[in-house]
Amino acid sequence: MFVTTKDMLERAQEGHYAVGAFNVENLEFVMAVIRAAEERRSPVIMQTTPGTVRYASLDYFVAMARVAAEDASVPVALHLDHGDGFDRCVQAMRAGYTSVMIDGSHVPFEDNIDLTASVTKVAAPIGLPVEAELGKVGGKEDDGPAVEGESPYTDPDEAVEFVARTRCTSLAVGVGTAHGVYTGTPHIEQGVLKEIRRRVDVPLVLHGTSGVPDDQVAEAIQNGICKVNYATELRQAFMRGFMGHMAENPSCFDPKKPSIPGMDEIQAVVESHMDNLGSTGKA
């Protein structure tokens, strides 16, 4: 059941639901996310950022995901989130990732096209999907700088040209969300999303979704979003369970014991999102 994201996202686009992409930080995150997917009978994407793979390695996460997928009865993909360059994406492909993202959103439009196309030229012949990003998702992604003071929206005209010239298989769009922890109530600009969906045929991706109200996410899915990313919320959930156990059991020195409630918290969050995304029962 270790598959690419291509079929997953195409089915989601046809069925007007979305597949959740959940950032995993270690073995406990992997086990909790897979457990939720099995419980909900949902396809699932696990993903890692460059910061996470620098902490461990691409090979560690491929090994964990492969073992989890071989044991699973639902489709499982492993995706490189916010790939920070051509080399990183190729390394992930070679390691065994089943999907990659190249993030050129921080460079000018033409440079983003060149960078993205360089990755798709390698990935296409081996049937590997490539997600790209156009526009600015605000906040602070991974350990990079915060994005401030720029238009948060993807230009629909640019999106048409970008997809045609890069041949990316999915597109992360800027529609008002932000990475990290929101200080106010987030707002998805559904009108911009509708226009992009009307003009662009590849599956669309929503980043910075932790903390976005479920009703806004559900509306975005009806307006064309096929993949929804969650990272910060899972970290918060795990630490809530872990630290809660340690507060009640300060003499505990076995890391497995506080990790169990941490995993339970992640599973509950993931299951709830799968229900809202409409992927429950779609495996």
Side-chain angles (χ1 to χ4, degrees):
M1 301 302 284
F2 199 31
V3 300
T4 75
T5 56
K6 183 177 186 297
D7 185 57
M8 279 186 189
L9 298 188
E10 288 178 352
R11 286 176 179 268
Q13 185 167 325
E14 292 169 4
H16 302 288
Y17 63 91
V19 179
F22 302 97
N23 284 56
V24 291
E25 306 290 340
N26 55 28
L27 174 62
E28 286 73 23
F29 278 60
V30 170
M31 292 193 295
V33 169
I34 292 294
R35 199 164 66 189
E38 292 274 19
E39 182 67 27
R40 284 298 189 262
R41 307 299 308 152
S42 170
V44 67
I45 301 166
M46 294 188 292
Q47 56 186 29
T48 61
T49 62
T52 299
V53 298
R54 283 194 294 270
Y55 173 76
S57 75
L58 292 163
D59 292 332
Y60 267 118
F61 284 99
V62 169
M64 288 190 290
R66 192 179 297 279
V67 168
E70 286 174 355
D71 231 13
S73 60
V74 298
V76 178
L78 180 62
H79 177 72
L80 176 67
D81 187 28
H82 288 280
D84 55 347
F86 174 84
D87 289 347
R88 181 85 64 189
C89 289
V90 172
Q91 289 164 2
M93 294 179 207
R94 288 175 173 167
Y97 275 61
T98 61
S99 176
V100 298
M101 176 191 181
I102 177 65
D103 184 359
S105 63
H106 55 287
V107 299
F109 181 68
E110 288 294 333
D111 293 341
N112 191 356
I113 287 176
D114 291 344
L115 176 60
T116 302
S118 72
V119 175
T120 61
K121 285 176 184 175
V122 176
I126 58 174
L128 208 72
V130 176
E131 177 184 329
E133 183 170 327
L134 183 64
K136 299 291 183 182
V137 179
K140 187 177 185 295
E141 166 59 33
D142 202 19
D143 51 7
V147 176
E148 304 283 355
E150 298 184 63
S151 172
Y153 304 126
T154 299
D155 184 302
D157 291 330
E158 287 189 348
V160 173
E161 181 181 356
F162 185 87
V163 171
R165 291 175 61 187
T166 64
R167 299 185 181 276
C168 62
T169 58
S170 62
L171 183 66
V173 292
V175 289
T177 55
H179 296 115
V181 179
Y182 286 98
T183 55
T185 303
H187 173 72
I188 296 174
E189 187 50 64
Q190 304 287 348
V192 172
L193 178 56
K194 285 181 182 179
E195 184 61 17
I196 297 169
R197 170 77 289 158
R198 189 180 71 81
R199 305 280 302 280
V200 173
D201 194 38
V202 298
L204 301 180
V205 181
L206 188 65
H207 284 232
T209 323
S210 291
V212 177
D214 282 350
D215 60 341
Q216 289 195 40
V217 175
E219 184 180 355
I221 293 167
Q222 293 309 304
N223 289 331
I225 291 294
C226 304
K227 173 178 178 273
V228 180
N229 289 13
Y230 292 96
T232 301
E233 196 172 348
L234 271 64
R235 294 173 176 177
Q236 292 171 323
F238 181 77
M239 293 309 297
R240 183 167 59 246
F242 191 100
M243 298 305 293
H245 179 90
M246 291 306 300
E248 295 177 1
N249 304 274
S251 63
C252 175
F253 58 85
D254 182 351
K256 295 187 296 297
K257 291 181 178 179
S259 291
I260 290 171
M263 288 189 289
D264 289 343
E265 291 279 353
I266 289 177
Q267 182 178 352
V269 167
V270 172
E271 288 184 14
S272 175
H273 285 315
M274 287 174 168
D275 289 344
N276 190 60
L277 299 178
S279 67
T280 293
K282 298 297 195 302

